[in-house]
Every structure is written in C-alpha cells, then in structure tokens.
Amino acid sequence: MQELLSPKQVATSIGVSESSLKRWCDQGVIATERTPGGHRRIQVGAVIRFLREQRRSLVRPEVLGLPVGAGQVIRSQDKANEALFDALKAGNHEQARRLFIDLYVAGMSVVQLGDQVVAPALHRLGDSWQCGQIEVYQEHRACEILSRALYELRLMLPPPSPSAPIAIGGTPPGDDYRLPTLMVELVLADEGWNAVSLGSNLPFGTMAAAAVQHRPDLFWLSSTHVADATALRAGMASFLASTPVSMKVVVGGQKSNQVFSGLDQGGRLLHGADLAELQRIASGLRPTAAVSSQPAPD
Amino acid sequence: MQELLSPKQVATSIGVSESSLKRWCDQGVIATERTPGGHRRIQVGAVIRFLREQRRSLVRPEVLGLPVGAGQVIRSQDKANEALFDALKAGNHEQARRLFIDLYVAGMSVVQLGDQVVAPALHRLGDSWQCGQIEVYQEHRACEILSRALYELRLMLPPPSPSAPIAIGGTPPGDDYRLPTLMVELVLADEGWNAVSLGSNLPFGTMAAAAVQHRPDLFWLSSTHVADATALRAGMASFLASTPVSMKVVVGGQKSNQVFSGLDQGGRLLHGADLAELQRIASGLRPTAAVSSQPAPD
DNA sequence: CGTAAAAACGTTCAATTCGTTCATTTCGTT
DNA sequence: AACGAAATGAACGAATTGAACGTTTTTACG
C-alpha cells in the first residue's frame, strides 16, 4: 500500500486549510516526501501517525478511502463513473459518498451530476440486474446509497428565498423509481425554486389535489417506467383538465414524449428528456432572475 | 458545510462566552481536538453530545448548519408529537427537521425517537388517510420528510468501529414501508453495530444471497404490512434454511409474532414488537460491551 | 511529443485563537 | 440579608491559522 496523497487531499480529509497543512509538513509534524519538482507527497501512514500523535480524528475518512484514484483526484468522467458503479455494487457507502462530494466540490453542477453520473449508474445497475450479473439486493442497496448521497447534497443547496416560485412533482402511478424525481427536485432547488418532491407511485387524483391546494407555478412528472401507457395518457389528460391552466407541467423521461404527445394545450405541457433540458425549461419559466448556486447574502 | 468548529463558533451557537467554552473544553466536558499549533477544534457531534448531556439549548443553530430555531428545549412530548404531525401534514420540511433535532438535542434516545415519535406519527398518518382526512400525497410527502430527517440523524451517529458486528436487514416482499427498516438501522447503528438496510420489498431469495455473501451476525426483517401471511411464512422458512445457522434473525412488527410462530429452531428466530425490544435483543447478542451514544475516546 | 488546464509551490498578511489575569455574576449556606 | 465559593465573561500581548497572490510543476489529451 504505497498511497501518496496531495496536500489538498490530506487537508480536506482532516479538516484544515491547505496553508496550515503545508506549514506542518515543513515543520516536520507530518512526514512528507517531495517530487523532483518540489511538490509535497504524503503517505497515508504518515497521516494516520499524525492523527494518532495529535489525538485528532478524521473528519472525512472517505477521502483517504483507498482504492479509487490511487491518491489522485479523479479527472476523467469515465473513471469516476466506473468507481461509483463499483462502490454501489459493493455497497460501500463511504466510497460512494466520497465520489459524490468530491465531484460536487470539484465544481460539477447538479445537472451534470444527475445526467452524467447518477443516470448512467442507474442504467448500468438496471442492465446488470437484467443480465443476472448482480443480485436484487445489490440494486436496492445501491438506490439506498444514492438516495442518501442526494439527500446530503440537498442539504448543501441554499434554502429557497421566500419569493421563490413553487414547484411540486413526483412519479406517476405504477412507477416506483424515486431517484429521478429526487434529482429533479435537486435541480430545481439549485435553480432557486421552492421544490418539493412528493415521492413515487402517486395517483393522478392526489397529484391534482396537491396542485390545487398549493398552487405551484410548475408541476413535474418524472416518468421512468411506463407500465400502462394508455392509462398514463388518460390520467395525464384528466390531470391537465383538473388543474389551473396557469400551472405549467413538465414531464421527464425518454419515452414520455410519445406517451403524452398531442395532449398539450397552448404550450402548457412541456417535455424534458434529461435534466439539462429541464433546467433550460425551468430557467425560462422563472419570472425573477434565476441565480444558480449563489449563497444568499444574509 | 463545515466539519470542525472553532471555539468562537461553538460559543456563539450555544450562547456562552468564549472563555467559558474554552474552560469546558479543558475540563473535558466537550470533546476537543487540537491543532499542532494548539488551537482547539470541536466536532459538531461533540457539541450535540454536550447539549444532550447538559440539557442545554442552541441559541444560534445556524452556526452549526442546523435549521434556524432548532435546539429548543422540548417541554411536552405530546405537544412535540402534535407539532410534528401538523408539520408533516402541511409538508413543512424545515419545521419537521427542527422538531427532530430539538428532541434529539433534548436528550431523547434513538429508540425513544422511533417508538414514541416516528411510530405514532406513522400510525396517525395511516389513520388519517383511511378516514379520508388527508390526501395520499400528504402521506407520501410526510414519509419523504421523515426519511430525510432520519438520514440526517444517521449522519450524527458515531461511525461503526472496524470490529463492530455486522447487521443487515430490510422489509419482506409485499411490504413497501421503508421507514421502519430505516429506524431499525438507526437503532442498531446507535448500539454500535455496522448496520445496513437494503430497503423495502425484498424477495427472500436475494436476502438470502446478501446473508451468504456478507455473513452478518444479525439479519432483521421489518414487517409492517402483511399482504400474504402464508407466502411470508413459507419464504421465511426457506430463508432460515438457506442461511447460516449462526446468523440470528430478528423480525419486527406487531403481527409478525403470529405469522412466524413455530418456525424457530433453537432460539435463532427472535421477535421484537418495538424498537426498545429490538435494542434489548441486539445488546444481548453483542459479544463486546455495547456503548450507546458515548463519544469514543480516540 | 507538445500544449493547455489544473494543481501545488512559496510568500505575505489580516484575522483568529492562544493562555492568562481579573472583575463580575451566580449560587448555596448560614 | 450576608457571606464565601464557584462559575462566568472581558481583556491583553503572543502565537497560530487561513486566504490571497503570482510563479512553477504536474497532468490530461490531441
């Protein structure tokens, strides 16, 4: 195990600034090696020794979690996706969490995280399950892990302003996929909306009730698995008829375009194949200026 | 999100002077780490533990990243339950989250939180739904809110030690209630187990595969809704037959005692009606001393 | 192999925290 | 009410930390 870590990694893993860490390295508190060019390289063992001697705890153990990038920050998208899939398959909460947080901290947007990380992972899990390569429990556990990571990400997003437009949504009847609708909530929250996901497998009647009671500016429907296209189409028609015409409805999912085609009345029913499209639609709908990921001045 | 806090931050968050806080740190009332330069650094969890032990309240919770207004001392359990139910009905995430943190900071154990707060709330929601007093979407949304609150609580619990015994579990086929199995995971994690919930609606075959692949010391089955008692009983019988006899199996839920009666072979199949019983069972199974919610001296 | 972006380098400097002392407040007891 | 003991909070110079900066090294990729 010859894992060499950069000062930045060690600093974040033990929760101090990079400046302090470099100073401690220079003072000899942490054993440090140097590259020929003069960059510091720190062994995992040296970090452990430091923590034991100083009686400090690891703030983010997952950063030192070994195998993934061999001590290097993952740059390539493919490698990150590969690592995430492995972690999900093995049920490694910490590892998956680390990948998520690292990607987000590294500057990846919520939309990118959803379209380029979560969605591919879900597809691969589904494929592997159908091919019999993984057990059902592994797929369930992976969804559980992803849920928790996304919830944690949700806590990092800024709270909505009191004047933020309201968005409500969920998945239609017969669709038990909770993660896509959660991703939609995250994207809208990141766009400054007051977004609430009602969960999965919702009868159209209760969605209409929610729309009438809360009067959202936007209602989304995340349709991943279509059990009965005819019933879905009929439900949507009645849903549109029983809700205020001022409320826009966005449906998401690959097949939703065909299923719901022709139901639109005057640009009320919109379609987004992925989260990037959803984001464009949502920012177009917002009356106030959309400010993404900006901390509100308090 | 900040992991390590300075004395000043903690002092303002709980509303005392910096001097007093530093004194408490030095006296060991609050678990404190030191930088090599001698500066004190305090974990959020240490602050929560301090508040629980000393029965103090948070003056400015936002400094710790907790919702504004959280950390108040709870006067009456009934009032708290009432307020939680109202918040869940209205879909008020923040309010529900705040109440949870309040109750936990006030010293309530995870078991009590589950048996006396979450379970009653779920029952009332179910009753209200059956009486037609609330919409389906309100019930779904409430479960969503509770899930997130419990996930957040999960993050506050101490991570399992490497030598912690392993526990795996979930809900049997036909049972979609995810919250009870999540509560079980929390209780076991709080008891020092390495607990992983696989989610809901799991075929017995895949649960057996998980048990064989991961060799847990304990497998739990959280049975809330029984669709087909005969199938459930048969499934459990084959599950017991196809898993190592050294692995204990704990079933939870009011009716599970009748459904599974007579299947036991030599005290392998245990039953817990509520989380308090589960906790007793789990602590009895642990070979090492179970230390609940105590800060680990490292 | 060469190029461009990303990360780490060393340095400076403002802000924070250190340990300590001391006045003030709070508490229990007489 | 008065008293002493204990706890609290403010203040000080010295020391540490963390953020910023322009420059250099490393890494990814065509």
Side-chain angles (χ1 to χ4, degrees):
Chain A
M1 187 198 301
Q2 36 162 354
E3 300 281 348
L4 288 181
L5 304 167
S6 73
K8 187 177 192 175
Q9 286 179 292
V10 177
T12 56
S13 77
I14 66 179
V16 298
S17 72
E18 208 178 320
S19 298
S20 296
L21 187 97
K22 288 193 286 187
R23 201 177 309 112
W24 299 340
C25 287
D26 297 345
Q27 290 172 355
V29 191
I30 300 179
T32 316
E33 305 168 12
R34 293 275 186 163
T35 65
H39 283 200
R40 298 176 184 82
R41 288 296 122 92
I42 303 153
Q43 292 188 15
V44 178
V47 180
I48 305 293
R49 276 198 301 277
F50 166 78
L51 293 171
R52 289 180 64 89
E53 286 164 11
Q54 301 287 330
R55 289 185 191 156
R56 289 189 60 134
S57 62
L58 264 177
V59 170
R60 284 180 51 193
E62 65 272 17
V63 176
L64 297 186
L66 309 166
V68 177
Q72 301 302 323
V73 174
I74 297 180
R75 286 166 217 280
S76 144
Q77 184 75 47
D78 292 339
K79 279 188 188 172
N81 282 356
E82 195 66 32
L84 179 65
F85 184 72
D86 290 342
L88 290 175
K89 208 166 58 177
N92 192 335
H93 276 80
E94 292 283 296
Q95 186 84 27
R97 184 172 164 238
R98 172 212 166 170
L99 283 161
F100 251 86
I101 296 176
D102 281 356
L103 287 172
Y104 185 67
V105 170
M108 203 172 215
S109 72
V110 177
V111 169
Q112 291 174 315
L113 217 46
D115 280 338
Q116 294 160 35
V117 180
V118 177
L122 283 177
H123 280 131
R124 265 189 82 177
L125 282 167
D127 292 345
S128 299
W129 170 67
Q130 286 193 326
C131 300
Q133 290 168 348
I134 63 170
E135 280 285 337
V136 177
Y137 83 88
Q138 290 175 296
E139 191 265 347
H140 277 235
R141 188 175 58 185
C143 289
E144 190 73 22
I145 292 172
L146 284 171
S147 292
R148 297 187 190 192
L150 293 178
Y151 285 144
E152 201 174 346
L153 189 58
R154 179 76 163 98
L155 290 174
M156 294 185 187
L157 297 179
S161 76
S163 63
I166 298 176
I168 301 181
T171 73
D175 188 337
D176 275 317
Y177 289 84
R178 297 178 301 113
L179 284 169
T181 184
L182 179 54
M183 277 306 315
V184 172
E185 180 186 320
L186 281 172
V187 168
L188 291 176
D190 189 45
E191 280 284 310
W193 290 70
N194 186 346
V196 176
S197 169
L198 301 178
S200 60
N201 203 348
L202 292 156
F204 275 104
T206 203
M207 287 197 275
V212 170
Q213 285 178 22
H214 292 278
R215 298 257 156 193
D217 303 277
L218 170 69
F219 203 107
W220 78 82
L221 263 151
S222 163
S223 174
T224 306
H225 171 73
V226 176
D228 183 345
T230 315
L232 205 57
R233 201 180 148 81
M236 174 60 92
S238 72
F239 176 73
L240 287 171
S242 58
T243 49
V245 287
S246 61
M247 182 186 83
K248 302 284 183 181
V249 178
V250 180
V251 294
Q254 285 80 2
K255 299 169 194 160
S256 58
N257 216 351
Q258 306 150 24
V259 176
F260 299 120
S261 64
L263 284 179
D264 187 23
Q265 329 147 327
R268 197 182 153 204
L269 183 61
L270 305 162
H271 172 77
D274 56 16
L275 295 174
E277 279 191 31
L278 171 79
Q279 187 185 34
R280 273 195 294 277
I281 293 172
S283 69
L285 289 180
R286 282 206 61 177
T288 55
V291 180
S292 171
S293 292
Q294 287 292 335
D298 53 352
Chain B
M1 194 199 283
Q2 203 171 357
E3 310 275 0
L4 284 177
L5 304 162
S6 72
K8 188 178 190 174
Q9 288 177 292
V10 176
T12 56
S13 77
I14 64 181
V16 297
S17 74
E18 207 178 319
S19 297
S20 295
L21 189 97
K22 287 196 285 187
R23 204 174 303 114
W24 296 340
C25 287
D26 296 345
Q27 289 172 354
V29 190
I30 300 180
T32 315
E33 305 169 12
R34 294 275 188 159
T35 67
H39 285 200
R40 299 174 183 86
R41 289 295 123 94
I42 303 153
Q43 295 189 23
V44 179
V47 180
I48 303 286
R49 280 196 296 275
F50 167 78
L51 294 171
R52 279 168 63 87
E53 287 162 8
Q54 301 287 327
R55 295 290 145 94
R56 297 187 72 110
S57 61
L58 271 171
V59 175
R60 294 190 53 192
E62 66 274 14
V63 178
L64 305 185
L66 301 175
V68 178
Q72 302 302 308
V73 176
I74 304 296
R75 301 188 188 119
S76 147
Q77 168 95 37
D78 292 338
K79 278 188 188 170
N81 279 0
E82 195 66 32
L84 178 65
F85 184 72
D86 291 342
L88 290 174
K89 209 166 58 177
N92 191 335
H93 274 83
E94 285 294 297
Q95 178 81 7
R97 188 175 164 224
R98 195 181 80 86
L99 280 162
F100 254 87
I101 295 172
D102 285 347
L103 288 167
Y104 187 67
V105 167
M108 205 170 213
S109 72
V110 178
V111 169
Q112 291 174 316
L113 219 45
D115 281 337
Q116 293 161 33
V117 179
V118 176
L122 284 176
H123 279 132
R124 266 189 81 177
L125 282 167
D127 291 346
S128 299
W129 170 67
Q130 286 192 325
C131 299
Q133 291 168 346
I134 64 169
E135 281 285 336
V136 177
Y137 83 87
Q138 289 175 298
E139 191 266 347
H140 277 235
R141 189 174 57 184
C143 289
E144 189 73 23
I145 292 172
L146 284 172
S147 292
R148 298 187 190 190
L150 292 178
Y151 284 143
E152 197 176 357
L153 185 59
R154 179 76 163 100
L155 292 174
M156 293 186 188
L157 297 180
S161 77
S163 63
I166 297 176
I168 301 181
T171 73
D175 188 337
D176 275 316
Y177 289 85
R178 296 180 300 115
L179 285 169
T181 185
L182 179 54
M183 278 304 318
V184 172
E185 180 186 320
L186 280 173
V187 168
L188 291 175
D190 189 46
E191 280 284 311
W193 290 70
N194 187 347
V196 176
S197 169
L198 301 178
S200 59
N201 203 348
L202 292 156
F204 275 102
T206 203
M207 288 198 274
V212 169
Q213 285 178 21
H214 293 277
R215 298 256 158 193
D217 303 278
L218 171 70
F219 202 106
W220 78 83
L221 263 151
S222 163
S223 174
T224 307
H225 172 73
V226 176
D228 184 345
T230 315
L232 205 58
R233 201 179 149 82
M236 174 61 92
S238 70
F239 176 73
L240 288 171
S242 59
T243 49
V245 288
S246 60
M247 182 185 82
K248 302 283 180 181
V249 177
V250 180
V251 294
Q254 283 83 0
K255 299 169 193 160
S256 58
N257 216 349
Q258 306 151 24
V259 176
F260 300 119
S261 64
L263 285 178
D264 188 24
Q265 327 148 327
R268 196 183 154 203
L269 183 61
L270 305 162
H271 172 77
D274 55 16
L275 296 174
E277 278 191 31
L278 171 80
Q279 187 186 36
R280 274 194 293 278
I281 293 171
S283 69
L285 288 179
R286 282 207 63 175
T288 56
V291 181
S292 170
S293 293
Q294 285 293 333
D298 52 355

